[in-house]
Amino acid sequence: MFAYIIKRLLTGVVVVVLVSMAVFALLWYGPESPARPICVQETSNRCTDERLANFEESMGYNNPIYVEYGKYAKGIFVGREMALGGNTIQCDAPCFGFSFRSRALVWDELIERLPATISLAIGGATLYLLLGIPIGIAAARRRGTLGDKLLVSSFLVISSIPYYLFALVAWLYCTLVWDLPVLGDSGYTPLLDNPAKWFAGLLLPWLCLGIFNCTAYTRYTRGAMVESLSEDYIRTAKAKGLPARTVVYKHGLRSALVPVVTIFGIDLGILLAGTIFTERIFEIQGIGLWGLRAVGSFDLPVISATAMFGAIVIIVSNIIVDVVYGVLDPRVRVS
Amino acid sequence: MASPEDTARVGRHTDQSGKSPEAPNATVAAQFQDSATEDPHDVEASYASFGELAKQGHTAAVLDPTAEPVIAVEDLKMYFPVRSSGLVRRTIGQVQAVDGISFEVPRGGSLGLVGESGCGKSTTGRLITRLYNPTGGSMTFGGQDIAKLSQRQMKPLRRDIQMIFQDPYTSLNPRHTVGAIVGAPLAVHDIVPKKQILGRVQELLEVVGLNPEHYNRYPNEFSGGQRQRIGIARALTLNPKLLVADEPVSALDVSIQAQVINLLQDIQREFGVAYLFIAHDLAVVRHFCPEVAVMYLGKIVEIGDRESIYSHAHHPYTQALLSAVPDVKQAVIGGRRERIMLEGDVPSPINPPSGCRFRTRCPLAQDICARHEPPLLQIGPRHKAACHFAGEIGRHPVTPVTPRLLGTDDHGNADPGATPSTELTTQAGYSDTWFDLDKKTFGRA
Amino acid sequence: MTDSIIQPRAHQMSEEGAYLAVENLTIEFPTPDGPLTAVNDLSYTVGMGQTLGIVGESGSGKSVSSMAVLGLHDTKRTKITGSIRIGDKEVVGLSESGMRKLRGNAVSMIFQDALAALHPFYRVGGQLAEAYQVHHSNASKRDARRKAIEMLDRVGIPQPDRRVDDFPHQFSGGMRQRAMIAMGLINDPSLLIADEPTTALDVTVQAQILDLLQDLQREFNSAVIIITHDLGVVAEMADDVLVMYAGRAVEYGTTKQILSHPEMPYTWGLLSSIPDVQSDTSARLIPIPGNPPSLLNPPSGCSFHPRCAHVDKVPGSLCSTTLPRLTPASIGTAHVKRCHLADPDAIYQREVLPEIAPDLVEEN
């Protein structure tokens, strides 16, 4: 098992390196000089060709790409000194560069924004699991009944609304139209600053994520339960004289959880890598919004950092899913 | 580069497609009209009488001792590597799925391959159709050693060796029509012009007792037995010389099994196809195959004609297998048949027992069995057995029969005075001289 | 109008002392294409210490009827009429909690494919212990585990104290079926239903399992039902045989009677479709033509008539218009058959036997 995890981590490292190279190269060979955004910003929109050349020179864009990538990679591990305009900035390891837009070190900003995204993702994910799995089980047990059909079709309606519309309407009504207490106060306050405000601010985003995504989890769970309840071992469990509850939860749910957990792990990874719509609509300063803004303003170091962060989170969550899978299903345990 | 063999084959093919509309269809299709009707449940009694029905049923297949082999397999081996699970996946062992087996399938005849799960019989079938690349040994087919041909060189030969699979539910692509499934080999091998494919397909469907008008239907519209017929039609498309049938009836209901077995026998009579018939049902194999090979843990332990195997088995494993088959006739007597109980399970093929592989479960095992692997000795005109104590049930010799051949004493210790016999071979067929178990010498009977 | 009122009992011994008595059992499943009658007016009995073999093809209703004995059908989607008595208890219409007390306790069932029938995620011992504890609420975890080890030992699993902690996939096929049997017997059931217990197994393992079942039956004196398609297994294991076709009993009697003097063409067909390991090589393999009928749209009259090769021996169109009743066989008393043929035994001996077992003809 240990060797397996190490192996997975090693391949993960390779993937992250490749992602970082790819992003670096994409931006390097992009349609516009990578120095232009900062030139425009520093010169207040008076970026002449000459000034641009200066910026390129000082930022090293005249060097071959592998030299600059080498510097970038070295910065991540040991830190580096960066030239910007006439100034030199000390960027300690792990150095992912310097955001043109916010004029802050990328790493510091990442650390600052992470708690918001984590709070949002974990809260939302917990909510949709807590809603989706029990509803899915209940639907599977009543498969084919009127209640099941109503539920399935109403969830189909919800999940066919675009998520951003769903969240936007929720925000609009809760905050602007009805101006509800608690629900209407969306926004992010660090947990340690004020737990009550943290909770109140995140409640509506959580509900949006939870309710919208629980439709999918209800569907997965229902499907997996219907399948597992038709297995031979369920018939065996009934034939043993076990009460229906034990049959459904101990024997049926255990195997139905395997595919649900797999999807959940990957979904959670995607959420952690940035819930762009949710953060944008509720103005939560998390990773997703940061990445979105960086793309808008061509803030290269931030774009690279968010891409790598996303890759790492998804790789790690995949490894965790595999380990959990092994715990759930003894047949795939690797010796 | 068409060899004379090839041209002869093509000639035979055109010849047959010319005559088949009358001859085979009349007999074969009448018997299986069921499948041809719109709804199999509304079949009117079209089977005139029991007498007629009975005449269409076949008796056990008969051996043609003069038939040349269509394929001769010698010392065939298939080892699958076992890899470790650590960081670096080293090969840490081998599964000896098939370990040095030799046999022949006579032209137009059938050889049965029986044995329990994990004995290597299915692997053997896949080796012969070259779904696997053999680790060693030779397979002589049409004058070529097909064990050593590359996949590209195999392609023209593939039409001569076809396979019928066990599970009629998973071996047919559900998204292709029956016509596409049966006609695919014709298209792949570019044998008939596109326009003629449909005609050939309909002809084949009729041969296997399906309504030729149903070429446009999908596999799920057919019952299990009918699907197996589709599988058989597909295998027949290219007029093969050898059909490898891997458990062709074991997934079917009892009454349907008999239909399919009779169909396979009809086809053999009509087209002269040879079968390598792989099955675990000893009674079906006995009916279908005049010759049978018994496998255990990757080895052939006994091979011979029907009479030798079923009435004069000399290997304790064959005897145990036969005695374990429940017999309908027992009903008159009541209770269970007396039988040889085998203890425990088949050992792992990764680390098989030394010497004789059956010794760990054999009631006769002695020292020599652990020390030396018993050679597959010819002990009759068409009978070979691999046992140090070969003998009919209840009449196994007290001392091993093999020491002089192996150059050892009765316990398997090397005997300095003796030299191993040169008469031990791995040849596929039978020779005119064989080892006389009573005299313990080679000679003619 | 059912024919059950005048339906003769197959057995003198059946009424008294029968542990399981099934009477006029009919099981219907509503489907989008109309009701599907899986079991139709079925009656049989099994006494303590006795074995009944139920034979038939897929869709004959042999498994469906046995599942009903344990009440394993979804009550909302199944219409069950008739009577099933276990001991003195009527099971049809019994509440779920009442049924649960019987399941795995007085009546237990072992299934065909032990790999699928055991839960892949739980240890074998845990699954056995669970079966014990559910009916012994006072038993501690340790007692249940001890009982599980004891049962694994009893069914011949080597080193049971170690193997008890294995998962099902770590067992061989034969061992899994043994574990399944151990689980079925852990509460000393009076009735054991074995649904194709050896179908997926190799022949030597099958022999071991059949021996085990027989030993255990002798030891516990339980009533046993073996559902199988293998007449050989029936011949060696069962005292009585019930042959089912399209949801109905078509022949029922002692094993000896049924297999040596069968009087229903379907039974003949079953016998003539299987070769024998010892029979004469001039015996013919005569299949039953056609396919089993659809239960949604069963044939009129005798369900078997579209596939029957002896219809011509019955006057008129009786076979396709009138369902034959279960009537006593011409030979022997403990034997009933559902067929219009006037003298089936003579036809069997004269026409069928010479084709399928020429070696037996002289003896008769």
Side-chain angles (χ1 to χ4, degrees), chain C residues 160-232:
Chain C
D161 48 335
R162 220 166 48 79
R163 303 310 296 260
V164 71
D165 290 324
D166 277 359
F167 288 99
H169 69 274
Q170 294 167 301
F171 274 29
S172 70
M175 290 214 297
R176 272 196 293 269
Q177 194 53 277
R178 282 167 193 270
M180 191 82 222
I181 293 174
M183 194 157 84
L185 294 177
I186 201 162
N187 294 314
D188 294 343
S190 306
L191 171 65
L192 180 69
I193 301 173
D195 189 354
E196 303 265 11
T198 59
T199 302
L201 302 176
D202 280 318
V203 52
T204 58
V205 182
Q206 162 171 296
Q208 293 173 356
I209 297 292
L210 294 181
D211 277 343
L212 174 68
L213 274 175
Q214 230 163 21
D215 289 351
L216 293 169
Q217 180 183 26
R218 225 166 278 147
E219 185 179 332
F220 294 102
N221 193 37
S222 39
V224 174
I225 296 177
I226 287 194
I227 301 167
T228 179
H229 64 274
D230 188 335
L231 289 174

Side-chain angles (χ1 to χ4, degrees), chain C residues 9 11-23 43-50 52 84-89 190-191 221-224 240 252:
Chain C
R9 295 272 152 245
H11 297 258
Q12 279 73 26
M13 84 281 167
S14 65
E15 273 305 79
E16 299 89 43
Y19 182 71
L20 171 70
V22 172
E23 267 177 63
S43 304
Y44 63 82
T45 58
V46 194
M48 297 298 283
Q50 277 222 313
L52 170 72
I84 300 171
R85 276 199 316 282
I86 300 173
D88 293 323
K89 201 170 208 146
S190 306
L191 171 65
N221 193 37
S222 39
V224 174
D240 296 336
Y252 178 35

Side-chain angles (χ1 to χ4, degrees), chain B residues 34 41 43 48-50 54 57-60 116-117 253 255 258-259 262 286 321 326-327 331 336 339 341-342 345, chain C residues 57-58 172 202 204 206 208 210-211 214 236 276-279 281-285 287-288 290 294 306-307 309-310:
Chain B
D34 68 84
H41 321 305
V43 184
S49 71
F50 179 73
H58 286 292
T59 58
E116 297 181 282
S117 39
D253 262 326
S255 69
Q259 295 176 0
N262 275 325
R286 180 177 183 269
L321 266 188
D327 188 358
R336 304 287 310 276
R339 88 193 76 81
M341 286 308 300
L342 291 183
D345 290 312
Chain C
E57 296 178 271
S58 35
S172 70
D202 280 318
T204 58
Q206 162 171 296
Q208 293 173 356
L210 294 181
D211 277 343
Q214 230 163 21
E236 298 204 356
D276 192 294
V277 263
Q278 292 178 326
S279 67
T281 49
S282 63
R284 283 181 192 277
L285 201 59
I288 303 172
S294 153
R307 304 176 74 191
H310 302 272

Side-chain angles (χ1 to χ4, degrees), chain A residues 29-69:
Chain A
Y29 294 117
E32 213 179 351
S33 165
R36 183 174 291 278
I38 192 155
C39 169
V40 169
Q41 191 173 347
E42 292 293 307
T43 58
S44 317
N45 287 331
R46 284 189 296 273
C47 179
T48 59
D49 285 353
E50 194 185 332
R51 281 173 171 168
L52 181 65
N54 275 340
F55 271 101
E56 285 184 347
E57 167 78 43
S58 68
M59 292 172 71
Y61 287 123
N62 292 343
N63 301 333
I65 182 173
Y66 56 87
V67 173
E68 283 305 307
Y69 180 77

Side-chain angles (χ1 to χ4, degrees), chain A residues 77-98:
Chain A
F77 295 101
V78 295
R80 65 193 277 209
E81 284 187 347
M82 298 186 68
L84 183 73
N87 315 328
T88 320
I89 299 153
Q90 176 60 34
C91 173
D92 291 327
C95 172
F96 286 89
F98 183 82

